[in-house]
Amino acid sequence: MSAGPLDNRPASGAPLVLLTGFEPFGGMDHNPSWDVVTAVAARAAAGQSSLPGAPEVRPLCLPVAFGQAPRLLDEAVEAAVVEGRPPAAVLALGLAAGTDVVRLERVGVNLRDARIPDNAGAQPADEPVVEGGDGALFSTLRLKAAHTRISAANIPVQLSLSAGSFVCNDVLYSLLHGLRVRGLEIPGGFVHVPDLRDPLAPVRLEGAVEAVEILLEEALHGGADVATPGGTLH
Ligand code: PCA
């Protein structure tokens, strides 16, 4: 049986999902995005999640460094393709300190503008992520479908029109650009999580894990996103 373009399942074995988080940055000693990644990967490995096709969730911790982080993710995508297991979905997670909702990022912009130095000491101002690339690229996850389900599970969540202009946006834009360049028509995108360790935080680790599993379920489900009206007025 030959595999169609959207059937990324190898002849034998489970589909592969790449799931990334970040190391700490900005003087913090911890990044909860990595806790979410390891929890989701462990649950998938133990058969505890209800992800369709029982995928292998491959975790990757990215450095908070412009250029390096997207390069490592691109290398992981390349390695999976070379292995004969092109990923069925790629989801990157990062911390948005100061927010109290899970933020589903809809768009990556072709801009590096750093308010603080990254972990390698770089602090670019108004540089493109990809020279000559499109101004912005859209997430290809089923974000509206996931948003509806995450809200229904009483997890604070928001569709977001900006992932900022720091390293998370660098990864989001580069991921979407890289998938397009490789001709890989697979769902890819980015989610910001709040500081999950704050005892007053409305989102805790379990909630963030559930939100990510819903996003992955929707991504593996495939097809176009639902077209419910949304957006923001300002
Ligand atoms: N958050 C930063 C970079 C790494 C992370 O976890 C950001 O939002 O750009």
Side-chain angles (χ1 to χ4, degrees), residues 22-23 25 31 33 64 93-96 163 166-169 190 192:
F22 276 105
E23 66 181 7
F25 69 104
N31 191 324
S33 65
V64 181
L93 308 180
L95 164 68
F166 195 50
V167 179
C168 289
N169 175 72
F190 196 96
H192 268 116

Side-chain angles (χ1 to χ4, degrees), residues 60-126:
L60 179 65
C61 188
L62 298 175
V64 181
F66 284 102
Q68 277 183 44
R71 198 159 43 248
L72 279 173
L73 178 52
D74 189 60
E75 283 170 11
V77 172
E78 171 71 15
V81 170
V82 168
E83 235 177 83
R85 298 181 72 194
V90 184
L91 176 60
L93 308 180
L95 164 68
T99 59
D100 51 12
V101 295
V102 173
R103 273 181 20 199
L104 312 183
E105 301 299 349
R106 301 185 71 179
V107 57
V109 294
N110 194 9
L111 176 71
R112 292 175 171 168
D113 194 16
R115 203 164 42 76
I116 58 171
D118 70 11
N119 286 358
Q123 192 168 9
D126 296 354

Side-chain angles (χ1 to χ4, degrees), residues 52 142-143 145-146 149 187 213-223 225:
R142 288 166 50 90
L143 293 182
R149 289 184 54 200
E213 289 185 348
I214 290 172
L215 275 152
L216 292 179
E217 269 174 41
E218 288 295 332
L220 295 168
H221 174 289
D225 200 0

Side-chain angles (χ1 to χ4, degrees), residues 130-224:
V130 175
E131 196 72 51
D134 287 353
L137 294 170
F138 290 102
S139 168
T140 49
L141 299 171
R142 288 166 50 90
L143 293 182
K144 285 206 166 160
H147 179 264
T148 302
R149 289 184 54 200
I150 296 167
S151 297
N154 288 319
I155 300 162
V157 61
Q158 199 173 67
L159 288 159
S160 162
L161 286 167
S162 173
S165 53
F166 195 50
V167 179
C168 289
N169 175 72
D170 213 46
V171 164
L172 173 57
Y173 183 90
S174 303
L175 167 65
L176 296 171
H177 177 80
L179 292 178
R180 184 192 274 187
V181 167
R182 286 177 192 282
L184 282 176
E185 291 185 23
I186 59 170
F190 196 96
V191 170
H192 268 116
V193 296
D195 187 349
L196 307 166
R197 289 189 312 174
D198 180 343
L200 298 176
V203 184
R204 310 305 304 274
L205 180 64
E206 304 71 41
V209 166
E210 190 177 345
V212 166
E213 289 185 348
I214 290 172
L215 275 152
L216 292 179
E217 269 174 41
E218 288 295 332
L220 295 168
H221 174 289

